[in-house]
Amino acid sequence: MKNTEVIVHTKFRISRVDPRIFGGFLEHMGRAVYEGVYDPGSLHADSEGCRKDVLEALRRLDMTVMRYPGGNFASGYHWQDGVGPRDKRPTVRELAWQSVETNHFGTEEYICLCRKMGWTPMLTVNLGTGNAEEARNWVEYCNCPLGTRYADMRGMNGHKEPHAVRLWCLGNEMDSPSQLGHVPAGQYAIRAQQAAKMMKDTDSSVELVACGSCAITLKSYMEWDREVLEHLGDFADYISLHRYVGNPDNDTADYLAVTSSIDRQIEEMDATCRFVQAKRRSGKRAYLCFDEWNVWYKNHELDGKGKVAPHLIEEIYNLEDALVVAGFLHSFIRHADVVKIANLAQAVNVIAPVITRGGDLLIQSIFYPFEMFSKRRSGTALRLSVDGPSYEGITNGRVHFIDASAILDESRLHVFLTNRSMDEEAEVCVVSADTAIASCESAEMLSAPDAKAANTFEDSSVVKPETFETFVIRDGRAYCLLPPLSFTAMTFRID
Ligand code: AHR
């Protein structure tokens, strides 16, 4: 393969990287909550019933915001079922996943977990079977000082101080015909506007995420977003995007090229936000909240068959999936000026980087690119130019073999490189046009013998990062030799 040059200039800045793009998602689905983060019966349980081994693993990802309680679950959830003495909470039929919900884990347990983990809470209100008043009551419960009904209910439940939840989603995937309470865009927009007004009237400091298109394949894609944004006006601080990708045709090259389609999805949604802002002649622009994203296509077990904590969509991830996860993160960094929040869906067991089996825990391949980026996330995203060979993906079009992003953190330059070639090493020269690369502080690389290699409980170290050593720094440039199908993260010192 011919050489590739990745060129940055420290003055060509996109925007500060919002740490909230390293968010996670915890839904009452399958074994995400029960047998995931919360498992009082486990030998790993702490005094609050949380699994210490799971939390220890998640701590390494340093997730910033944690979206809860769904997902589709949120569209049938009544938050009052999940507060108060545990033995008085109702056990209910859960319709989104045909499961049984005990409500043993609810608002208080979630907030307690957020505090333990340093996560910023992000709650999704029920705009499917719920209504505006129920949503605003939850805001009062969480955020208002004692002295009124729902705030006092929180006080009775042992929390005199408000939980101070700033980020709220106005429902989940309401554009999807399979969502509980799905309605056309115009009707959702009215519901969301009514809820937004009452929520902001209850606590003016809340930030709201309107439900945007959940799939680029739906007929209503973009038209839904336009209508919702126009009606919500200044109430929409953010609009959500969702994306799940996969490799059902077993075409690895095309699968790895999906990053260009993620770039396009972000740019299309941003264009809609700008269009509506211009049309409304408003000073306020809605930003993007990519609040569900991941690889998901192998496991479609969605029927909980009336069980508590059934095994649902416990996807097993391999090397190519991890490279696609790196692709999402490249894309978010390249669009740091518009993507302000993003949530890897999900955190544990359900399409997750971490999976449990009895008392055991497995770290999956997709854990590592998230960790490698997350460790190097602070700073300002830089525009970069990739000059090198490319190939044609059957559905995703022409892309460079090298996918890249970069973050400048004062005198540190973080560079992230994916080699999408299936069989060729890539010689990549990293150039900082206006400065010199002086030294390398850290460099690690994720690869494996083949695209389908995956970690298992029996062999948990098939796909894991290693120290990256095949590079030299010469004349202020870094010359790297990247193995085929690999992801490399490097932190340089620049002069
Ligand atoms: O993350 C799993 C599900 O995918 C979520 O509940 C839903 O919002 C999406 O369709």
Side-chain angles (χ1 to χ4, degrees), residues 102-137:
T102 63
N103 285 303
H104 286 177
F105 190 94
T107 304
E108 305 304 346
E109 290 77 16
Y110 162 70
I111 295 289
C112 166
L113 178 59
C114 285
R115 301 295 176 239
K116 218 188 274 259
M117 296 296 289
W119 294 333
T120 299
M122 177 179 187
L123 288 172
T124 305
V125 301
N126 175 356
L127 290 189
T129 65
N131 61 29
E133 185 154 35
E134 183 179 8
R136 82 107 235 149
N137 293 345

Side-chain angles (χ1 to χ4, degrees), residues 25 27 29 71-72 97 172-173 242 244 292 296 313 345-346 351:
F25 175 34
E27 175 165 12
M29 175 181 186
N72 294 357
W97 309 118
N172 176 71
E173 295 196 349
H242 288 182
Y244 292 103
E292 285 187 34
W296 171 22
I313 53 170
Q346 299 193 10
I351 44 173

Side-chain angles (χ1 to χ4, degrees), residues 235-312:
F235 284 125
D237 298 299
Y238 306 94
I239 184 144
S240 71
L241 300 76
H242 288 182
R243 187 75 180 268
Y244 292 103
V245 300
N247 187 10
D249 300 328
N250 197 18
D251 179 342
T252 298
D254 190 39
Y255 181 38
L256 297 178
V258 75
T259 321
S260 63
S261 160
I262 297 158
D263 287 339
R264 194 164 62 242
Q265 183 182 359
I266 290 171
E267 285 154 22
E268 286 165 350
M269 187 63 105
D270 180 51
T272 308
C273 292
R274 290 177 196 243
F275 169 80
V276 172
Q277 182 192 10
K279 195 168 169 206
R280 294 181 59 247
R281 284 139 181 96
S282 168
K284 171 146 180 172
R285 155 135 161 251
Y287 286 95
L288 309 193
C289 172
F290 217 126
D291 59 18
E292 285 187 34
W293 66 269
N294 203 348
V295 168
W296 171 22
Y297 71 105
K298 302 177 200 109
N299 186 319
H300 293 286
E301 189 53 73
L302 293 168
D303 183 350
K305 302 197 171 91
K307 296 207 179 91
V308 177
H311 286 255
L312 299 182

